[in-house]
Amino acid sequence: MATVGFIGLGNMGGPMASNLISAGHTVKVFDLVPELIQSVPGALAGTSALDAATDIDVFVSMLPAGHHVRGLYLGDGSEPGLLAHMSTDTLVIDCSTIDPASAQAVAAQAVEQGLAMLDAPVSGGTAGAQGGTLTFIVGGEEQALQQARPILEAMGSNIFHAGAAGAGQIAKICNNMLLAILMAGTAETLALGVDNGLDPGVLSEIMKVSSAGNWALNVYNPFPGVMPSAPASSGYKGGFLVDLMRKDLGLALQTAQATQSAIPLGSLAQNLYQLLSENHDAGGLDFSSIQYLYKPGLKNT
Ligand code: NAD
């Protein structure tokens, strides 16, 4: 069993750290919010990020965005970041969803300091974090991934090696861009059927086994009442928030700009989710609430 430093104990990081403890690892935690440091039963409370990164085998971070990750590991220009202080036998795993350029910059500095580092963003949301069923999409050296496996397996059930440093972030961004597009397309299509007198449940069953079948129709139908377990049937509460999808679409645009890749559908999806957030106050709702853009009347049902 390993001693793990864990930083970032929010909606995802808190339950992930708990699962490491349940698997028998010793976990030293830290967050900028003091109450969160006490919120992980069985964890050792770190007094600072540096404390959580000291005398450990593996260090895991789960932070909101690229600038948090850069600040933590590389410092702010006046003060060096954690990488400068970490023991070279520490394996570093960043699970945050961030821009690939930041992931690559941090990994390059880690290599310079003699440290092995992986980017390992996750898919599966808060339910996956709580249940230990996350999918990890990993970028970095194969050898570091082999070392990381027992740690990742305590928090997830699928581990994919996408390629070199930053590749985990690129694959995660690609997945979420397509998810946004297919959810918007599914909502638009269901609205067209309903406007023309079809029952959304019947239309969904037809499309599920026809050539338009997709993940949203199978497990996450955006039309209220079609699928009792989907967020659409409980007022779009919980699930994967519109604000987080907007963040990931922003990363897709940034990534596409860097390589001058054309992503017209990704750009359109980003605009649709922005309109949804602004016009329907939906930032804190599940992303399948994109259905409101096509059927605003559903808000009153
Ligand atoms: P969150 O905002 O709930 O938690 C982030 C935590 O990091 C906060 O508690 C914050 O205080 C802490 N933090 C920030 N900077 C810090 C620093 N320098 N030192 C110590 N602590 C610091 O976010 P979340 O929902 O847990 O998401 C974390 C990451 O996972 C994001 O990159 C997000 O895009 C990604 N993600 C989230 C979900 C989801 O459903 N919530 C799903 C997949 C991926």
Side-chain angles (χ1 to χ4, degrees):
M1 287 299 152
T3 301
V4 183
F6 201 111
I7 197 160
L9 305 167
N11 295 319
M12 298 292 288
M16 288 166 72
S18 285
N19 284 329
L20 285 171
I21 293 165
S22 302
H25 298 290
T26 301
V27 182
K28 206 192 309 183
V29 298
F30 182 72
D31 194 287
L32 293 178
V33 179
E35 301 85 73
L36 291 178
I37 301 173
Q38 308 301 332
S39 72
V40 184
L44 304 172
T47 52
S48 65
L50 182 55
D51 181 39
T54 305
D55 297 329
I56 52 159
D57 305 305
V58 182
F59 186 75
V60 181
S61 52
M62 192 50 165
L63 305 181
H67 67 272
H68 301 97
V69 174
R70 279 178 181 265
L72 177 72
Y73 288 111
L74 304 180
D76 59 7
S78 58
E79 296 247 344
L82 276 190
L83 291 180
H85 300 285
M86 290 174 103
S87 161
T88 51
D89 51 10
T90 309
L91 170 65
V92 185
I93 309 172
D94 179 45
C95 295
S96 325
T97 301
I98 63 171
D99 58 294
S102 290
Q104 284 155 355
V106 174
Q109 185 62 35
V111 168
E112 198 133 300
Q113 309 275 157
L115 288 150
M117 177 155 194
L118 298 170
D119 50 293
V122 303
S123 171
T126 50
Q130 282 155 13
T133 57
L134 291 169
T135 293
F136 287 92
I137 309 165
V138 182
E141 296 290 332
E142 177 65 38
Q143 200 186 341
L145 174 54
Q146 289 314 327
Q147 211 187 327
R149 274 189 187 275
I151 301 300
L152 301 182
E153 281 164 359
M155 302 183 282
S157 43
N158 292 303
I159 300 168
F160 290 104
H161 190 195
Q169 300 296 351
I170 295 169
K172 159 88 183 170
I173 287 165
C174 287
N175 178 74
N176 280 21
M177 185 179 90
L178 180 55
L179 175 61
I181 293 167
L182 79 80
M183 185 58 83
T186 302
E188 183 170 307
T189 305
L190 289 173
L192 175 66
V194 169
D195 286 348
N196 284 276
L198 294 188
D199 179 291
V202 172
L203 177 57
S204 295
E205 287 306 311
I206 294 167
M207 294 194 295
K208 248 159 107 170
V209 294
S210 303
S211 44
N214 69 55
W215 179 86
L217 289 172
N218 287 342
V219 298
Y220 217 93
N221 197 295
F223 210 94
V226 172
M227 200 170 268
S229 59
S233 297
S234 6
Y236 299 102
K237 302 265 175 359
F240 183 51
L241 304 188
V242 168
D243 279 347
L244 283 175
M245 180 55 94
R246 288 180 63 205
K247 173 196 159 189
D248 290 354
L249 286 167
L251 292 176
L253 293 185
Q254 208 178 323
T255 305
Q257 240 163 18
T259 48
Q260 300 202 342
S261 306
I263 51 162
L265 290 176
S267 306
L268 179 57
Q270 202 254 353
N271 277 284
L272 290 174
Y273 281 94
Q274 185 160 333
L275 283 176
L276 172 67
S277 183
E278 282 170 11
N279 295 354
H280 297 277
D281 196 21
L285 297 180
D286 178 71
F287 80 113
S288 63
S289 61
I290 192 84
Q291 193 69 67
Y292 283 156
L293 272 191
Y294 302 97
K295 299 291 288 175
L298 287 172
K299 284 176 90 174
N300 309 318
T301 58

